[in-house]
Amino acid sequence: MSVSKKESSKHVIRIKCQDEIGLIHKISNVLYLNKLNIIRNGEYVDNESNQFFLRSEVEGTLEELVVISNLEKILPPGALIDLKPIQKKKIVILGTKEAHCLGDMLIKHQFNNLNAKIQAVICNHQTLGNLVEKFEIPFHCISASGLERTEHEQKILDLLDTLDFDYIVLAKYMRILTPLFVEKYPNQIINIHHSFLPAFIGANPYKQAFERGVKIIGATAHFVTNDLDEGPIINQDVIRVDHNYSWRAMARAGRDVERTVLAQALEMVFKDRVMVNKNKTIIF
Amino acid sequence: MSVSKKESSKHVIRIKCQDEIGLIHKISNVLYLNKLNIIRNGEYVDNESNQFFLRSEVEGTLEELVVISNLEKILPPGALIDLKPIQKKKIVILGTKEAHCLGDMLIKHQFNNLNAKIQAVICNHQTLGNLVEKFEIPFHCISASGLERTEHEQKILDLLDTLDFDYIVLAKYMRILTPLFVEKYPNQIINIHHSFLPAFIGANPYKQAFERGVKIIGATAHFVTNDLDEGPIINQDVIRVDHNYSWRAMARAGRDVERTVLAQALEMVFKDRVMVNKNKTIIF
Amino acid sequence: MSVSKKESSKHVIRIKCQDEIGLIHKISNVLYLNKLNIIRNGEYVDNESNQFFLRSEVEGTLEELVVISNLEKILPPGALIDLKPIQKKKIVILGTKEAHCLGDMLIKHQFNNLNAKIQAVICNHQTLGNLVEKFEIPFHCISASGLERTEHEQKILDLLDTLDFDYIVLAKYMRILTPLFVEKYPNQIINIHHSFLPAFIGANPYKQAFERGVKIIGATAHFVTNDLDEGPIINQDVIRVDHNYSWRAMARAGRDVERTVLAQALEMVFKDRVMVNKNKTIIF
Amino acid sequence: MSVSKKESSKHVIRIKCQDEIGLIHKISNVLYLNKLNIIRNGEYVDNESNQFFLRSEVEGTLEELVVISNLEKILPPGALIDLKPIQKKKIVILGTKEAHCLGDMLIKHQFNNLNAKIQAVICNHQTLGNLVEKFEIPFHCISASGLERTEHEQKILDLLDTLDFDYIVLAKYMRILTPLFVEKYPNQIINIHHSFLPAFIGANPYKQAFERGVKIIGATAHFVTNDLDEGPIINQDVIRVDHNYSWRAMARAGRDVERTVLAQALEMVFKDRVMVNKNKTIIF
């Protein structure tokens, strides 16, 4: 681990610890003594669990290990401290056949609006290969055909092991990940679910929504945990539908919502604005 | 039943029948021969069940029984025909302790914006009595204290038998109605549920929403059937919340949505714009 | 003009005429005599101008000229009748440098979700050329550099004359079209404006919105007329912003709205669901 | 001015000053030395004007003048410091004839959900007198009939001079206030405007919206300044409309939005969550 002397730059500091009086005072004191300017600050206390959460964007010349060490000294035992420079994330995208979320990310990627570098796209079908390759991103088709679930997943895990990434984005990846997979990447897998969770968990939510006769449909971006569609919600949005919508029309209209909900969630995650608090998120 | 010769006036005709080619032609022919001007027309075909739905606002001098008889002759057997003058509805409101939906209706009622006449308000607590009586509306407190569910309900049913009304509005009535009650008033009972159904069915949905960490909460107005919170949905809306909302803050913010969602639903129902198609609604 | 005997297929009939009693009866009679099944029907009467608007989706074997001739006989003089098969539109896209609306259309086009065939993309900068060519769509860069407005436009008009299209989509085309151009394509040019019109007409609406301190920003898709940003509005939507948004952050967030508002507007226009009523639209 | 020793209680501290490095450190130090626990903290820096804004909710035993004096010592010259206990506000409501916003406030007031005490309602018509008096709130009708604008306003000002209040709420008060009036109560007058500002400034915005053919209408709550409908915006919201809406139908639908937008704005203002930054608001 290197202790590098950095140029003045922007960092994000995120702290989670037991709440106690004077935390902001003590933390801001550390930042002050390290000559760091606070650009943007967010705090939250979960009164139920008595946990304190803080996110600070700071600017200045900073030695990461020194600051972390200073913070450790003044924070309660067990405090989690995350300090990193503000920079682009690296991601791997998993998909199946639908192009709308993936396509949006590829376009933003090309025009430098994604705030992330796409390292690879992995799909269980060939459908999207031609699209991905247009953008000169490595495309890997790992078919699940004829394979046990764990065999198929192992192939993906083996491939992931060769890649360097911060997050895995499930851009309408239509297979359920096993606990083994999910536990390997805690709070690193982001999924877009095509319903307003917790309504319509599971398969074909638009058909479920149609059958129920709802007047609004939605989409939910969340971190993946081992409870199906129950992970911490990052972002949600909805649109109105009426009795003239077949479930296919709902699915078509829903795609625009899915794409935007995922795009906004990724924007927040990639800027380190999201902290996980048990099965919920705090968005600073 | 009287066959009265009416002055020129506005009526709503609603038809539900098996779909077949030429229905609009045949129906519009009947209206034409009765010298009725179509002001507004809405049609819908449920392709799954092959049912045709029509709502026509017509203007002219009209003998109700003649028009109905003319329509019966040209419609497929089993057609449901509903023809009524456009006029204010009569309603009874059931409540418990919360004032926001009831209060909104009372204010609109006084200033002639409700499109309905409130015949009575029945509550299982005294809390809202003072408010209702300010507006010179009969208030009946029927306490459930010490009574079996069916006993309590029978008292309400007995009172309802003495009243003249088209719809029962559950304005945050916090008790579940028995099948006996519900079946007596099919498609006549309108409830406001304080969640975006089908998410968070049942008790304390705001607490459920808080526990789940959703980013959007909502409200649903629906006809009451014997499946709890599963009746045909008339209207829904949502608002954004974030991690700073306690469940009580969600409940407080949710009240504004509940009130508006119910108000809009009642506006549609009272104008005869809502038709029920199995467990869904068609809004013309 | 050929009078072809067609196979059974779907058509859209749109009628605009003076309102009078019995129109629906007479029109449905024509459709009935031509053995056409009405799949979906929409009517509207503008009471101010006493104009009647109808859109019918019909199914059956149909001779276009016969049906039009039958309709002309029963409609008031001056009636506008538009009858066409339901089919994909042909479009030309004009752009400048921003990729989000164009990119969305290219992706949908490749996966057959656009309901239109993109004949060409014309830009006044090279920026988007690489993207368009990935999708094997003809790209034409017609630079305005060093040209008078009319000279530049004439070059585009000359190119358009060689192309076969139903609509021109301005996908963030950042130049104002001259009256000559606009009048040549009445109700055929669709623009996406990056504000909630009529707020913030003209240049840099996000900067205007930022200066004004609004809490909601939006986008508007409209037909282009010779009144700047004043043409008939097809679709609008909004998102919430707060004091933390710089005008650049507003612009970034706004892009997702622009893209969705334009996509929904195009969906409606390409399905012939939009009729123009002076400076407004009727959406069936 | 009394320096009272208080019991442990909750206060809001709001600071506006020139930005400089270490402000949060210095401020939190003052709070720490005064043994105050920070419950909720919000900061914002306006980079254009280099102004720092802070809102802190603190808990503890506090001598107001001591804390203010301590803060003055460590803040840059010219800093504005506002420290007050969290408590209900006192308000006066001005209205004309429309009941929906006023009615909502009266109902919330009775059930202790307004977070304010209504000291009086002043109207230029008698229409709402009966409603207000039901709730045992003083009602004053000051007719403008036959009076010059300044004469009428002077009568209201004279009355206001006899009343004790923090804010004046214009609940659909349909007269324009003169500069004299507005300047007397800076950032104390809150208006609800029935359009999505800055669209449709001035008279009858629903008619303007109807004429323009917009697909969304809205409402705006703002502080009143001497630029008509140009004061700092506190809250906005919108609803969808379509071609079937007459302007009267828009006005009717808009009322539900007006009421909710005003209610939410008041909730924020009464909790001291709103700070004014030139012609904008910061909502903590």
Side-chain angles (χ1 to χ4, degrees):
Chain A
M1 200 189 280
S2 71
V3 183
S4 61
K5 185 78 182 176
K6 295 246 179 69
E7 296 291 294
S8 175
S9 62
K10 291 186 183 176
H11 281 72
V12 170
I13 301 167
R14 292 189 292 183
I15 292 169
K16 180 185 172 184
C17 65
Q18 186 99 2
D19 190 32
E20 59 178 41
I21 294 191
L23 277 176
I24 293 176
H25 167 60
K26 290 172 188 165
I27 294 166
S28 62
N29 194 32
V30 167
L31 304 183
Y32 185 67
L33 295 175
N34 279 276
K35 297 193 173 60
L36 296 171
N37 188 21
I38 298 174
I39 302 167
R40 192 169 161 172
N41 220 26
E43 303 111 30
Y44 173 69
V45 174
D46 181 339
N47 291 314
E48 290 195 340
S49 63
N50 202 36
Q51 291 291 300
F52 170 86
F53 296 82
L54 174 136
R55 177 192 184 274
S56 263
E57 267 181 54
V58 297
E59 195 166 27
T61 309
L62 158 160
E63 290 187 39
E64 292 184 12
L65 291 188
V66 171
V67 174
I68 289 173
S69 161
N70 291 168
L71 286 169
E72 274 168 348
K73 278 177 199 140
I74 56 97
L75 291 173
L80 301 177
I81 304 168
D82 177 40
L83 190 164
K84 60 179 70 151
I86 292 181
Q87 63 186 19
K88 272 194 183 185
K89 303 305 179 211
K90 295 177 206 141
I91 62 170
V92 173
I93 302 173
L94 266 63
T96 293
K97 289 179 172 177
E98 286 177 81
H100 55 291
C101 290
L102 174 63
D104 180 46
M105 295 174 76
L106 292 169
I107 304 259
K108 284 189 169 130
H109 189 257
Q110 177 175 356
F111 290 88
N112 208 18
N113 287 320
L114 186 61
N115 212 12
K117 184 167 183 327
I118 304 174
Q119 305 286 63
V121 176
I122 307 172
C123 292
N124 56 324
H125 286 270
Q126 270 296 354
T127 318
L128 299 169
N130 169 274
L131 174 67
V132 174
E133 283 160 3
K134 281 187 205 308
F135 290 85
E136 286 151 47
I137 309 280
F139 177 81
H140 305 271
C141 179
I142 301 184
S143 169
S145 165
L147 297 182
E148 297 286 322
R149 177 173 300 276
T150 49
E151 283 178 304
H152 177 245
E153 222 173 51
Q154 192 54 53
K155 288 186 161 200
I156 297 179
L157 285 168
D158 290 346
L159 174 55
L160 288 172
D161 278 344
T162 70
L163 298 169
D164 173 26
F165 59 90
D166 301 297
Y167 293 101
I168 297 169
V169 179
L170 307 186
K172 304 283 287 178
Y173 182 64
M174 303 309 278
R175 295 175 62 85
I176 294 168
L177 299 172
T178 69
L180 186 81
F181 193 117
V182 171
E183 278 156 21
K184 189 164 176 192
Y185 303 107
N187 298 334
Q188 287 184 278
I189 312 175
I190 299 151
N191 184 43
I192 177 73
H193 183 78
H194 38 318
S195 89
F196 182 78
L197 289 174
F200 311 128
I201 286 172
N204 211 335
Y206 290 119
K207 208 160 188 176
Q208 292 183 57
F210 172 78
E211 299 294 346
R212 181 60 189 89
V214 293
K215 299 299 185 187
I216 288 178
I217 57 173
T220 305
H222 62 97
F223 287 113
V224 176
T225 62
N226 277 320
D227 298 307
L228 177 61
D229 299 336
E230 294 282 354
I233 292 171
I234 304 165
N235 190 31
Q236 304 190 287
D237 206 357
V238 298
I239 45 164
R240 293 193 169 273
V241 292
D242 61 37
H243 61 272
N244 286 306
Y245 283 71
S246 65
W247 75 261
R248 283 178 207 283
M250 285 186 185
R252 204 155 47 235
R255 272 184 219 126
D256 284 327
V257 186
E258 294 167 21
R259 192 184 46 186
T260 301
V261 165
L262 180 60
Q264 292 170 339
L266 295 180
E267 167 105 3
M268 295 187 279
V269 170
F270 295 166
K271 288 199 171 151
D272 302 307
R273 292 180 48 207
V274 182
M275 290 184 79
V276 172
N277 178 20
K278 285 177 290 178
N279 71 326
K280 302 182 189 182
T281 63
I282 298 159
I283 315 279
F284 285 117
Chain B
M1 202 187 281
S2 70
V3 183
S4 61
K5 184 77 182 175
K6 296 248 179 69
E7 296 292 294
S8 175
S9 62
K10 290 186 183 176
H11 281 72
V12 170
I13 301 167
R14 293 189 292 183
I15 292 168
K16 179 186 173 183
C17 64
Q18 185 98 3
D19 189 32
E20 60 179 40
I21 293 190
L23 276 177
I24 292 174
H25 167 60
K26 289 173 189 166
I27 294 166
S28 62
N29 195 31
V30 166
L31 303 184
Y32 185 67
L33 296 175
N34 279 275
K35 300 195 171 57
L36 296 171
N37 187 23
I38 298 174
I39 303 167
R40 194 169 161 170
N41 220 24
E43 302 111 30
Y44 173 69
V45 174
D46 180 339
N47 291 315
E48 290 195 342
S49 63
N50 203 35
Q51 292 290 301
F52 171 87
F53 296 82
L54 174 134
R55 178 191 182 275
S56 262
E57 265 180 54
V58 297
E59 195 167 26
T61 308
L62 158 162
E63 290 187 38
E64 293 185 9
L65 292 188
V66 171
V67 174
I68 290 173
S69 161
N70 291 169
L71 286 169
E72 274 170 349
K73 278 179 198 139
I74 56 98
L75 291 173
L80 300 177
I81 305 168
D82 177 38
L83 190 164
K84 59 179 69 152
I86 292 183
Q87 62 186 22
K88 272 194 182 182
K89 302 306 181 212
K90 293 176 209 142
I91 62 171
V92 172
I93 302 174
L94 267 63
T96 293
K97 288 178 174 179
E98 287 177 81
H100 54 292
C101 290
L102 174 63
D104 180 46
M105 295 174 78
L106 291 170
I107 304 259
K108 284 189 168 131
H109 188 259
Q110 176 174 357
F111 289 88
N112 209 17
N113 287 320
L114 185 62
N115 212 12
K117 183 164 183 332
I118 303 175
Q119 305 286 63
V121 175
I122 307 172
C123 291
N124 55 323
H125 286 271
Q126 269 297 354
T127 318
L128 300 168
N130 169 274
L131 175 66
V132 174
E133 282 161 3
K134 280 187 206 309
F135 290 87
E136 286 151 47
I137 308 280
F139 177 79
H140 306 271
C141 179
I142 301 183
S143 170
S145 165
L147 297 182
E148 297 285 321
R149 177 174 299 277
T150 49
E151 283 177 305
H152 177 245
E153 223 174 49
Q154 190 55 51
K155 287 185 161 200
I156 297 178
L157 285 168
D158 290 346
L159 175 55
L160 288 173
D161 279 344
T162 69
L163 299 169
D164 174 27
F165 61 89
D166 301 297
Y167 292 100
I168 296 169
V169 179
L170 307 184
K172 302 285 287 178
Y173 182 64
M174 303 310 277
R175 294 175 61 85
I176 295 169
L177 300 172
T178 69
L180 185 82
F181 193 117
V182 172
E183 278 156 22
K184 188 163 176 192
Y185 303 107
N187 297 335
Q188 286 184 277
I189 311 175
I190 299 150
N191 184 43
I192 178 72
H193 182 79
H194 38 316
S195 90
F196 182 77
L197 289 174
F200 311 128
I201 286 172
N204 210 335
Y206 290 119
K207 208 160 189 176
Q208 292 184 57
F210 172 78
E211 299 295 345
R212 180 61 189 90
V214 293
K215 300 299 186 188
I216 287 178
I217 56 172
T220 305
H222 63 97
F223 287 113
V224 175
T225 63
N226 277 319
D227 298 307
L228 178 61
D229 298 337
E230 293 283 354
I233 292 171
I234 304 165
N235 191 30
Q236 302 189 289
D237 206 356
V238 297
I239 46 164
R240 292 193 170 273
V241 291
D242 61 39
H243 61 272
N244 286 306
Y245 283 70
S246 65
W247 75 261
R248 283 177 208 282
M250 286 187 184
R252 206 157 43 238
R255 273 185 218 127
D256 283 328
V257 186
E258 294 166 22
R259 192 184 45 186
T260 301
V261 165
L262 179 60
Q264 292 170 339
L266 295 181
E267 167 105 3
M268 296 188 279
V269 170
F270 295 166
K271 288 200 170 149
D272 302 307
R273 292 179 49 205
V274 182
M275 291 183 78
V276 172
N277 178 20
K278 284 177 291 181
N279 71 327
K280 301 182 190 182
T281 62
I282 299 159
I283 315 279
F284 286 117
Chain C
M1 200 188 282
S2 70
V3 184
S4 61
K5 184 77 183 176
K6 295 247 179 69
E7 296 291 295
S8 174
S9 62
K10 291 185 182 176
H11 282 70
V12 170
I13 301 167
R14 293 189 292 184
I15 292 169
K16 179 185 173 183
C17 64
Q18 185 99 3
D19 190 32
E20 58 178 41
I21 294 191
L23 276 176
I24 293 175
H25 167 61
K26 288 172 188 165
I27 294 166
S28 63
N29 193 32
V30 166
L31 303 184
Y32 185 67
L33 294 175
N34 278 276
K35 298 196 173 57
L36 296 171
N37 188 22
I38 298 173
I39 303 168
R40 193 170 161 170
N41 220 25
E43 302 112 29
Y44 173 69
V45 175
D46 180 338
N47 291 314
E48 290 195 341
S49 62
N50 201 35
Q51 291 290 301
F52 171 87
F53 296 82
L54 174 136
R55 179 191 183 273
S56 262
E57 267 182 54
V58 297
E59 194 165 27
T61 310
L62 158 162
E63 290 188 38
E64 292 184 11
L65 291 188
V66 171
V67 174
I68 289 173
S69 162
N70 292 170
L71 286 170
E72 275 169 348
K73 278 177 200 140
I74 55 96
L75 291 173
L80 301 177
I81 304 168
D82 177 38
L83 191 165
K84 59 179 71 151
I86 292 182
Q87 63 186 20
K88 272 193 183 184
K89 303 305 179 213
K90 294 176 208 143
I91 63 171
V92 172
I93 302 174
L94 266 65
T96 294
K97 288 179 172 177
E98 286 177 81
H100 55 291
C101 290
L102 173 64
D104 180 46
M105 295 174 77
L106 291 170
I107 304 260
K108 284 190 168 129
H109 188 259
Q110 177 176 357
F111 290 88
N112 209 18
N113 287 320
L114 185 62
N115 212 14
K117 185 166 182 327
I118 304 174
Q119 305 286 63
V121 175
I122 307 172
C123 291
N124 56 324
H125 286 271
Q126 270 296 355
T127 317
L128 300 169
N130 170 274
L131 175 66
V132 174
E133 283 161 3
K134 282 187 204 307
F135 291 86
E136 286 152 46
I137 309 280
F139 177 81
H140 306 270
C141 179
I142 302 184
S143 170
S145 165
L147 297 182
E148 297 285 321
R149 177 175 299 277
T150 48
E151 283 178 304
H152 177 245
E153 222 173 51
Q154 191 55 52
K155 287 187 160 196
I156 298 179
L157 285 168
D158 290 347
L159 174 55
L160 288 173
D161 278 345
T162 70
L163 298 169
D164 173 27
F165 60 91
D166 302 297
Y167 293 101
I168 297 170
V169 180
L170 308 185
K172 302 285 286 179
Y173 182 64
M174 303 309 278
R175 293 175 63 84
I176 294 168
L177 300 173
T178 69
L180 185 83
F181 193 118
V182 172
E183 277 156 23
K184 189 166 175 191
Y185 302 107
N187 298 334
Q188 286 184 278
I189 311 176
I190 299 150
N191 184 43
I192 178 72
H193 182 78
H194 40 317
S195 90
F196 182 78
L197 289 174
F200 311 128
I201 287 172
N204 210 335
Y206 290 119
K207 208 160 188 176
Q208 292 183 56
F210 172 78
E211 298 294 347
R212 180 61 188 91
V214 293
K215 299 300 184 187
I216 288 179
I217 56 172
T220 304
H222 62 97
F223 288 113
V224 176
T225 63
N226 277 320
D227 297 307
L228 177 62
D229 298 336
E230 293 283 354
I233 292 172
I234 304 166
N235 190 32
Q236 303 189 288
D237 206 357
V238 297
I239 46 164
R240 292 192 170 273
V241 292
D242 61 38
H243 61 273
N244 287 306
Y245 283 71
S246 65
W247 75 261
R248 284 178 206 282
M250 287 186 185
R252 205 156 46 237
R255 273 185 216 126
D256 283 327
V257 186
E258 293 167 20
R259 190 184 47 186
T260 300
V261 165
L262 179 61
Q264 291 170 341
L266 295 180
E267 166 105 4
M268 295 188 279
V269 170
F270 295 166
K271 288 198 171 151
D272 303 307
R273 291 179 49 205
V274 182
M275 291 183 79
V276 172
N277 178 20
K278 284 176 291 178
N279 71 326
K280 301 183 189 182
T281 62
I282 298 159
I283 315 279
F284 286 117
Chain D
M1 201 187 280
S2 71
V3 183
S4 61
K5 183 80 183 175
K6 296 247 179 68
E7 296 291 295
S8 174
S9 62
K10 291 185 182 175
H11 282 72
V12 170
I13 301 167
R14 294 188 292 184
I15 292 169
K16 180 185 173 184
C17 65
Q18 185 99 3
D19 189 31
E20 59 179 40
I21 293 190
L23 276 177
I24 293 175
H25 167 59
K26 289 172 188 165
I27 294 166
S28 62
N29 194 31
V30 167
L31 303 184
Y32 185 68
L33 295 175
N34 280 276
K35 299 195 170 59
L36 296 171
N37 188 22
I38 298 175
I39 302 168
R40 193 169 161 171
N41 220 24
E43 301 111 31
Y44 173 70
V45 174
D46 180 339
N47 291 314
E48 290 195 341
S49 62
N50 201 37
Q51 291 291 300
F52 171 86
F53 296 82
L54 174 135
R55 178 192 183 274
S56 262
E57 266 180 54
V58 297
E59 194 167 27
T61 308
L62 159 161
E63 290 186 39
E64 293 184 11
L65 292 188
V66 171
V67 174
I68 290 173
S69 161
N70 291 169
L71 287 169
E72 275 169 349
K73 280 177 198 139
I74 56 97
L75 292 173
L80 301 177
I81 305 169
D82 177 38
L83 190 164
K84 60 180 69 151
I86 293 183
Q87 62 187 21
K88 273 194 181 182
K89 303 304 181 213
K90 294 176 210 143
I91 63 170
V92 172
I93 303 174
L94 265 64
T96 293
K97 288 180 174 177
E98 287 177 81
H100 55 292
C101 290
L102 173 63
D104 181 45
M105 294 174 78
L106 291 170
I107 304 257
K108 285 189 168 129
H109 188 259
Q110 177 174 357
F111 290 88
N112 209 17
N113 287 321
L114 185 62
N115 212 13
K117 183 163 182 333
I118 304 174
Q119 305 287 63
V121 176
I122 307 171
C123 291
N124 55 324
H125 286 270
Q126 270 296 353
T127 318
L128 300 168
N130 170 274
L131 175 66
V132 173
E133 283 161 3
K134 281 188 206 308
F135 290 87
E136 285 151 46
I137 309 279
F139 177 80
H140 305 271
C141 179
I142 300 183
S143 169
S145 166
L147 298 182
E148 298 285 321
R149 177 175 300 278
T150 48
E151 283 177 303
H152 177 246
E153 223 173 51
Q154 191 54 53
K155 287 186 162 200
I156 298 178
L157 285 169
D158 290 346
L159 175 55
L160 288 173
D161 278 344
T162 70
L163 298 169
D164 173 27
F165 60 90
D166 301 297
Y167 293 101
I168 297 169
V169 179
L170 307 185
K172 302 285 285 178
Y173 182 65
M174 303 309 277
R175 294 175 63 85
I176 294 169
L177 299 172
T178 68
L180 185 83
F181 193 117
V182 171
E183 278 156 22
K184 189 164 175 192
Y185 303 108
N187 297 333
Q188 286 183 276
I189 311 175
I190 299 150
N191 184 44
I192 177 73
H193 183 78
H194 39 314
S195 90
F196 181 78
L197 290 175
F200 311 128
I201 286 172
N204 211 336
Y206 290 119
K207 207 160 189 176
Q208 292 184 57
F210 172 78
E211 298 295 345
R212 180 61 189 90
V214 292
K215 299 300 185 187
I216 287 178
I217 56 172
T220 304
H222 62 97
F223 288 113
V224 175
T225 63
N226 277 318
D227 297 307
L228 178 61
D229 300 336
E230 293 282 355
I233 292 171
I234 305 165
N235 190 31
Q236 303 190 288
D237 206 356
V238 297
I239 46 164
R240 293 193 169 272
V241 291
D242 61 38
H243 61 272
N244 287 306
Y245 283 70
S246 65
W247 76 260
R248 283 177 206 283
M250 285 186 186
R252 206 157 42 237
R255 273 184 218 127
D256 284 327
V257 186
E258 294 166 21
R259 193 184 44 186
T260 301
V261 164
L262 179 61
Q264 292 171 339
L266 295 181
E267 167 105 5
M268 295 187 280
V269 170
F270 294 166
K271 288 198 171 150
D272 302 307
R273 292 179 49 206
V274 182
M275 290 184 80
V276 172
N277 178 19
K278 283 176 291 180
N279 70 327
K280 302 182 189 182
T281 63
I282 299 159
I283 314 278
F284 287 116

